Amino acid sequence: MEILWLSEEDVKGSLSMEGTMEAVEEAFREAGRGTVQMPPKSYLIYKKYDGDLRTMPAYLEEMDATGVKVVNVHPENPGSGLPTVMALVILNSPKTGAPIAVMGGTFLTNMRTGAAGAVAAKYLAKKSSKTVGIVGAGAQGRSQLLGLAEAFDIEAVKVADVSLDRCRALEEESRTFLDATFEISTDIKEVCDADILVTTTPSRKPLVKDDWINEGTHINAIGADAAGKEELDPAILRRAKVVVDDVVQATHSGEVNVPLAEGLIALEDIYATIGEVVAGKVPGRTNEDEITVFDSTGLAIQDVATASRVYRTAVEKGLGIRLPFL
């Protein structure tokens, strides 16, 4: 028996943002229909290294795809020349349980997270959205913009980061796929006047104030993915339609986790899951003035659905290395 090893380069050669969005949207739809199995993420916390390791298993019945992702988050890694996030994905046969592929999951994670934000904005942002504000000019800022550029006619992008050099790097890279005007700043308030606002930082305190957010804004809250993290003033959540990717996961590690723990919002303030919206069980945006928030923690179903697409494409292209297993 053999398994297919796919390097990060093989994955990059097998995955477009358009294809990732299709896989992620179908994964959300399956979740909304109740045809997935996805236990909450399991965490190992390394306090003395300011990092963690997570395992994320999932099974999508309609896609007939199953597997697990192992992924770290170490915010100090860039100082050592390593990515903040690194991952491996193992795909298994649902019929036998045998592993069929192991692949680099770092690029895949960036892409599926960007795709999730774009899919959420498709259902929750104003259809006429043309301006994007980004808080945090790292790799995920680029992936979020790449996804939004697939879904909307973006004319203007505002980027805020503590490092203007990172802002400039994001602008330069984004111009390869997006013809838009760019404004860069170290002042977060400057980028909040946007149709779609994306927050992609590891912050443990609110960065975006309530009075900076206009009516009609959609927010993709991406950065909060572990207990204690938050990027938004809880007052924003109290006046917004809050959609989470998964209720259990969001309550212990999403944007809503701290406000819930402190009693500033209640579970009843969560409107729906994105799966319920995509599956048509509840409506997404219903008027031009409401504020909408997508609380993205990152789901194993996104990884497995995307990895399954990567695997099929790589086999068709003859990519990867066959390795003996049994």
Side-chain angles (χ1 to χ4, degrees):
M1 177 183 171
E2 294 180 329
I3 58 174
L4 181 64
W5 162 249
L6 297 171
S7 68
E8 287 288 337
E9 289 304 312
D10 293 328
V11 174
K12 289 178 182 178
S14 306
L15 191 60
S16 66
M17 177 53 75
E18 181 182 9
T20 309
M21 288 173 62
E22 290 174 358
V24 167
E25 185 168 8
E26 185 53 37
F28 285 156
R29 186 173 290 110
E30 267 213 53
R33 292 172 178 163
T35 59
V36 305
Q37 294 180 47
M38 185 181 60
K41 295 178 187 177
S42 178
Y43 286 79
L44 296 174
I45 307 297
Y46 311 122
K47 290 184 179 180
K48 72 177 184 177
Y49 299 115
D50 187 26
D52 64 71
L53 189 71
R54 313 164 190 196
T55 56
M56 302 171 62
Y59 171 45
L60 297 98
E61 183 178 329
E62 293 179 13
M63 287 189 190
D64 199 35
T66 192
V68 61
K69 184 173 80 171
V70 180
V71 57
N72 78 293
V73 177
H74 283 66
E76 301 301 319
N77 271 3
S80 307
L82 292 172
T84 298
V85 177
M86 294 176 282
L88 282 176
V89 180
I90 303 170
L91 282 183
N92 299 75
S93 163
K95 182 177 181 180
T96 68
I100 57 176
V102 179
M103 67 185 70
T106 305
F107 177 74
L108 184 151
T109 296
N110 281 335
M111 290 287 281
R112 64 78 150 151
T113 307
V119 171
K122 173 182 171 181
Y123 289 87
L124 298 173
K126 294 180 292 187
K127 303 299 183 187
S128 60
S129 294
K130 296 184 180 300
T131 305
V132 175
I134 298 178
V135 180
Q140 193 46 231
R142 177 197 179 279
S143 294
Q144 289 291 317
L145 189 55
L146 181 62
L148 291 171
E150 285 281 343
F152 296 90
D153 182 16
I154 303 301
E155 296 180 353
V157 180
K158 304 175 182 181
V159 185
D161 193 283
V162 294
S163 167
L164 284 177
D165 285 341
R166 278 201 297 265
C167 290
R168 294 186 188 100
L170 176 61
E171 175 184 354
E172 182 178 356
E173 192 170 3
S174 298
R175 287 189 181 280
T176 63
F177 61 82
L178 179 61
D179 182 14
T181 62
F182 282 79
E183 298 177 22
I184 63 175
S185 175
T186 57
D187 186 350
I188 293 173
K189 182 179 179 181
E190 294 296 318
V191 307
C192 290
D193 182 14
D195 298 317
I196 300 172
L197 180 66
V198 180
T199 59
T200 68
T201 76
S203 180
R204 291 182 175 271
K205 63 179 181 180
L207 300 174
V208 178
K209 295 184 179 181
D210 179 44
D211 58 7
W212 297 347
I213 301 302
N214 300 324
E215 290 186 353
T217 302
H218 170 67
I219 303 173
N220 279 339
I222 307 297
D225 59 357
K229 290 186 177 182
E230 60 176 334
E231 300 178 289
L232 306 180
D233 182 342
I236 298 172
L237 302 178
R238 288 198 294 269
R239 67 185 179 111
K241 176 181 282 184
V242 179
V243 176
V244 300
D245 52 11
D246 179 79
V247 173
V248 173
Q249 204 161 274
T251 56
H252 74 65
S253 61
E255 182 62 41
V256 298
N257 87 92
V258 175
L260 281 171
E262 295 180 352
L264 299 175
I265 63 172
L267 275 175
E268 293 73 24
D269 293 320
I270 297 174
Y271 171 71
T273 66
I274 189 63
E276 290 170 326
V277 174
V278 173
K281 291 187 174 181
V282 297
R285 174 174 289 270
T286 55
N287 64 68
E288 292 291 287
D289 294 329
E290 67 183 342
I291 296 169
T292 53
V293 173
F294 174 53
D295 183 354
S296 172
T297 60
L299 304 183
I301 56 171
Q302 297 167 230
D303 298 305
V304 172
T306 304
S308 181
R309 176 177 285 255
V310 167
Y311 174 71
R312 293 194 304 271
T313 301
V315 169
E316 290 172 1
K317 291 186 173 183
L319 299 177
I321 301 172
R322 294 282 177 180
L323 299 173
F325 177 64
L326 291 176

